[in-house]
């Protein structure tokens, strides 16, 4: 096709109103595609957030692990552990606000250990050292008491 033929067809389409309808339909389709891609894009970032961090489950997991480990320490006996957390999980994102680069776990505020050997100074020392090293906290944040009979 030559250039004059194309111009003639465009002129014919514009006079009949078909060109205007085609442009409107193409624009509506474009807007629909943009909205659809935005919707699908938000679902993808939503799926990243679905892996959300639960402070209570994090705390419960650490408590169970500590109870198991402390009860294995000589002289500790039956053990119960309570953790208090300083804050919730913190997420670091890139400047665009959608790409998560890392998650910062909450810090332990304090640990209460109640065990059968809570009145034995040697067992208390072992337990205190184990808890402070495992959680990277100071001994001032650890309280150990004897389990009542």
């Amino acid at each position: 096709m030559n250039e004059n033929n194309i111009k003639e067809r465009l002129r014919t389409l514009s006079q009949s109103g078909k060109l205007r309808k085609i442009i409107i339909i193409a624009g509506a389709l474009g807007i629909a595609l943009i909205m659809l891609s935005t919707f699908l894009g938000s679902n993808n970032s939503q799926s990243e957030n679905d892996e959300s961090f639960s402070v209570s489950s994090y705390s419960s997991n650490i408590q169970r692990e500590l109870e198991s480990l402390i009860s294995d320490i000589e002289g500790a006996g039956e053990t119960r552990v309570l953790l208090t957390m300083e804050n919730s999980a913190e997420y670091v994102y890139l400047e665009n606000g959608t790409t998560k680069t890392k998650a910062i776990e909450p810090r332990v505020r304090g640990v209460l250990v109640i065990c059968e050997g809570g009145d034995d100074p040697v067992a208390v020392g072992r337990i205190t050292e184990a808890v402070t090293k495992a959680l990277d906290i100071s001994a001032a944040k650890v309280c150990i008491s004897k389990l009542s009979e």
Side-chain angles (χ1 to χ4, degrees):
M1 294 187 147
N2 61 23
E3 192 176 317
N4 289 333
N5 196 5
I6 294 173
K7 287 181 183 180
E8 184 65 35
R9 285 187 181 211
L10 285 175
R11 201 172 295 136
T12 306
L13 283 175
S14 66
Q15 289 173 353
S16 66
K18 288 183 181 180
L19 182 62
R20 184 175 293 158
K21 289 179 184 177
I22 291 172
I23 291 173
I24 290 172
I25 291 172
L29 285 173
I31 291 171
L33 286 174
I34 291 171
M35 291 176 68
L36 182 64
S37 69
T38 303
F39 177 71
L40 292 176
S42 69
N43 275 350
N44 290 341
S45 63
Q46 180 92 18
S47 67
E48 287 179 25
N49 292 336
D50 287 343
E51 303 170 12
S52 63
F53 187 84
S54 169
V55 175
S56 61
S57 66
Y58 177 74
S59 175
S60 296
N61 288 341
I62 293 176
Q63 282 177 192
R64 280 193 302 272
E65 288 178 19
L66 280 176
E67 284 176 5
S68 174
L69 292 172
I70 292 170
S71 64
D72 290 342
I73 294 175
E74 185 179 338
E78 183 184 344
T79 305
R80 295 191 189 139
V81 174
L82 173 70
L83 284 178
T84 55
M85 307 306 279
E86 192 170 296
N87 55 3
S88 63
E90 205 176 315
Y91 300 104
V92 178
Y93 293 89
L94 293 177
E95 283 186 27
N96 64 13
T98 59
T99 307
K100 184 172 26 173
T101 59
K102 67 179 177 176
I104 301 172
E105 297 173 346
R107 297 190 61 78
V108 175
R109 181 185 290 173
V111 181
L112 172 62
V113 177
I114 301 173
C115 61
E116 291 176 340
D119 60 346
D120 178 14
V122 175
V124 168
R126 290 179 184 148
I127 294 167
T128 302
E129 184 176 0
V131 170
T132 57
K133 299 287 189 213
L135 299 177
D136 192 27
I137 59 174
S138 71
K141 294 183 176 187
V142 179
C143 177
I144 302 174
S145 294
K146 179 162 178 54
L147 183 67
S148 66
E149 296 176 17

